[in-house]
């Protein structure tokens, strides 16, 4: 088997292949099924055709360039990752048109495009007018479910969210500002949340100042904690101890962190936008982020207090069944190892 994979994403630093879970998980899965994986953020590496057999590319924009180079040298090419800007309700018209063009080019130069959510799949169907190329296949992101399984005995009334704060736009897209407003309302209106903390996990950056200004405006400075970038074990420990997780994204390609929270028996508040419909859906508490939160708060509170052990156990089972690494391993075996993969 030609088993050398050049694994590409246009990240600023190669350290993100270790710290961003969706990269790390897929690299581990590819190695599990027998490939030697070499992560790179340099397009120039694809000109060294003698060093690799297969290109595995994250995201459908800059990835078009390594895909084209790979095809010139007769390599097999696989794409994956979310495609936020194919969602018309989220992207501007200009961004949508650009993403549509880039996706079609990426698809043209690929052997398979591995789509990670039903919402992305439906958006792709629209741009092909329901005549999908056979090379487009579905496989949801996955997690090591067993690492997140816990009981409810050690949990406290804390709220958690995970976000990269390198830019204000990402903080806003992930709905951290909306989540803070919701937390502020709950903590001031209902006694059981008066001592709760809001824990924000993730690397700090330009978006942090925006969040801190909002926290000051809401007068909840003493209730919010920033952890910064932390290791995987510490993150898992926090999720196991927290009771609530917030993912109020304007659009979410998949929602991997929300899945981790579900597996950790958190009550997940989410916007049901994009991939969150697949990854969480009815297994969390859906918040209408397009309407006034204050007007919804009593309904939200009643939904919270109605959550019982059966609800949390069903969510945990749902994650085990649909989003385990074992399932994505089998998908990759079928997609990448099949002999008749598209030329």
């Amino acid at each position: 088997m030609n088993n050398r994979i050049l694994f590409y994403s246009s990240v600023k630093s190669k350290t993100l292949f270790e710290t961003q879970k969706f990269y790390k998980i897929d690299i581990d899965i590819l190695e599990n099924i027998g490939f030697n994986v070499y992560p790179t953020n340099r397009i120039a590496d694809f000109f060294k055709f003698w060093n690799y057999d297969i290109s595995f590319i994250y995201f459908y924009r800059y990835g078009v360039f390594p895909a084209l180079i790979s095809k010139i040298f007769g390599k097999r090419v696989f794409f994956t990752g979310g495609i936020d800007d194919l969602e018309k309700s989220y992207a501007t018209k200009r961004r949508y048109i650009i993403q549509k063009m880039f996706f079609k080019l990426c698809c043209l130069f690929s052997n398979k495009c591995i789509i990670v959510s039903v919402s992305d799949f439906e958006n792709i169907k629209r741009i092909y007018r329901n005549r999908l190329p056979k090379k487009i296949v579905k496989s949801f992101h996955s997690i090591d479910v067993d690492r997140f399984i816990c009981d409810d005995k050690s949990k406290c009334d804390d709220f958690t969210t995970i976000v990269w704060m390198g830019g204000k736009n990402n903080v806003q897209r992930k709905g951290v500002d909306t989540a803070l407003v919701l937390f502020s309302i709950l903590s001031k209106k209902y006694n059981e949340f008066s001592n709760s903390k809001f824990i924000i996990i993730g690397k700090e950056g330009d978006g942090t100042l925006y969040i801190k200004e909002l926290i000051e405006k809401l007068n909840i400075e003493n209730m919010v904690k920033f952890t910064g970038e932390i290791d995987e074990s510490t993150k898992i420990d926090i999720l196991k101890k927290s009771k609530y997780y917030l993912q109020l994204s304007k659009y979410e390609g998949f929602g991997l962190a929300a899945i981790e929270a579900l597996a950790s028996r958190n009550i997940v508040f989410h916007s049901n936008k994009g991939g969150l419909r697949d990854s969480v859906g009815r297994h969390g508490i859906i918040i209408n982020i397009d309407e006034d939160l204050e007007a919804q708060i009593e309904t939200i509170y009643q939904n919270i207090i109605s959550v019982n052990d059966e609800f949390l156990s069903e969510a945990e089972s749902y994650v085990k069944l649909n989003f385990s690494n074992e399932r994505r391993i089998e998908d990759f075996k079928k997609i990448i190892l099949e002999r008749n993969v598209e030329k």
Side-chain angles (χ1 to χ4, degrees):
M1 180 176 70
N2 295 324
N3 68 345
R4 298 169 302 169
I5 287 184
L6 199 53
F7 187 105
Y8 173 82
S9 182
S10 61
V11 293
K12 290 182 179 179
S13 170
K14 288 176 67 174
T15 60
L16 287 170
F17 290 119
E18 287 291 325
T19 58
Q20 288 277 9
K21 283 305 294 178
F22 50 86
Y23 295 136
K24 183 67 168 63
I25 289 169
D26 279 355
I27 289 169
D28 289 345
I29 286 173
L30 290 167
E31 290 177 340
N32 177 280
I33 59 178
F35 291 104
N36 295 316
V37 183
Y38 305 96
T40 183
N41 59 352
R42 299 178 68 249
I43 293 173
D45 287 344
F46 289 85
F47 286 106
K48 300 174 183 178
F49 60 88
W50 55 89
N51 285 337
Y52 67 101
D53 306 300
I54 296 171
S55 298
F56 194 97
I57 299 170
Y58 249 90
F59 305 124
Y60 301 86
R61 188 162 290 195
Y62 298 110
V64 70
F65 303 111
L68 174 58
I69 297 165
S70 301
K71 277 302 176 184
I72 290 172
F73 292 119
K75 307 299 183 178
R76 296 164 68 208
V77 176
F78 298 88
F79 275 92
T80 196
I83 327 168
D84 297 355
D85 281 349
L86 278 186
E87 174 58 43
K88 284 187 172 181
S89 66
Y90 165 70
T92 63
K93 185 176 180 180
R94 180 175 179 273
R95 280 168 36 209
Y96 174 81
I97 291 170
I98 291 171
Q99 183 61 82
K100 179 179 174 180
M101 176 188 70
F102 270 109
F103 180 82
K104 287 191 170 184
L105 286 172
C106 291
C107 186
L108 177 66
F109 298 135
S110 73
N111 290 78
K112 293 285 185 183
C113 294
I114 306 169
I115 309 305
V116 298
S117 74
V118 171
S119 58
D120 281 349
F121 194 80
E122 292 301 318
N123 287 336
I124 293 165
K125 281 173 67 176
R126 277 189 281 274
I127 68 173
Y128 284 103
R129 297 182 181 179
N130 290 325
R131 300 180 67 179
L132 279 177
K134 292 181 180 179
K135 61 178 67 176
I136 294 175
V137 296
K138 277 186 290 188
S139 176
F140 293 145
H141 281 306
S142 63
I143 64 171
D144 185 355
V145 177
D146 291 339
R147 292 194 68 185
F148 294 89
I149 299 302
C150 65
D151 58 40
D152 299 326
K153 295 176 182 177
S154 59
K155 287 192 174 292
C156 53
D157 290 322
D158 288 344
F159 294 68
T160 306
T161 197
I162 299 173
V163 60
W164 176 77
M165 291 172 280
K168 179 179 175 181
N169 286 343
N170 192 61
V171 168
Q172 292 175 321
R173 181 179 70 84
K174 291 285 188 176
V176 180
D177 45 6
T178 307
L180 283 164
V181 171
L182 176 61
F183 171 74
S184 175
I185 296 170
L186 285 169
S187 63
K188 293 170 182 175
K189 188 175 179 66
Y190 301 103
N191 288 335
E192 54 261 61
F193 305 117
S194 60
N195 294 315
S196 296
K197 299 293 183 185
F198 189 113
I199 302 170
I200 302 176
I201 300 171
K203 187 174 182 179
E204 296 188 36
D206 292 342
T208 311
L209 178 60
Y210 167 70
I211 294 175
K212 287 184 175 179
E213 288 174 348
L214 177 60
I215 290 167
E216 184 178 354
K217 182 179 177 182
L218 294 170
N219 194 28
I220 53 173
E221 297 100 315
N222 295 332
M223 305 181 77
V224 181
K225 176 184 177 183
F226 292 85
T227 70
E229 192 171 17
I230 56 178
D231 61 50
E232 183 71 4
S233 295
T234 305
K235 180 195 77 175
I236 292 172
D237 285 343
I238 292 172
L239 287 175
K240 285 183 175 181
K241 291 175 183 176
S242 67
K243 189 178 288 186
Y244 309 101
Y245 186 88
L246 299 108
Q247 192 76 62
L248 303 185
S249 307
K250 293 180 180 177
Y251 185 78
E252 193 70 43
F254 180 69
L256 193 65
I259 284 293
E260 294 175 340
L262 274 187
S264 306
R265 294 179 72 86
N266 279 241
I267 299 171
V268 176
F269 301 79
H270 70 104
S271 61
N272 211 38
K273 301 278 189 177
L276 291 168
R277 290 195 296 270
D278 313 320
S279 57
V280 186
R282 64 180 181 84
H283 298 287
I285 294 176
I286 297 172
I287 308 294
N288 186 344
I289 62 171
D290 300 316
E291 300 291 339
D292 180 63
L293 292 176
E294 190 83 56
Q296 303 175 63
I297 201 64
E298 185 59 31
T299 300
I300 293 169
Y301 178 69
Q302 291 302 321
N303 285 334
I304 294 170
I305 63 176
S306 70
V307 171
N308 55 27
D309 183 70
E310 182 181 0
F311 182 89
L312 295 171
S313 295
E314 283 183 4
E316 183 183 307
S317 299
Y318 172 71
V319 174
K320 287 180 181 178
L321 180 64
N322 293 284
F323 308 113
S324 70
N325 284 345
E326 290 74 18
R327 192 265 312 146
R328 194 153 164 96
I329 286 171
E330 291 306 312
D331 289 347
F332 276 18
K333 285 179 180 178
K334 292 175 184 176
I335 294 166
I336 301 174
L337 298 180
E338 65 179 9
R339 293 182 180 275
N340 62 338
V341 70
E342 293 281 331
K343 300 295 184 185

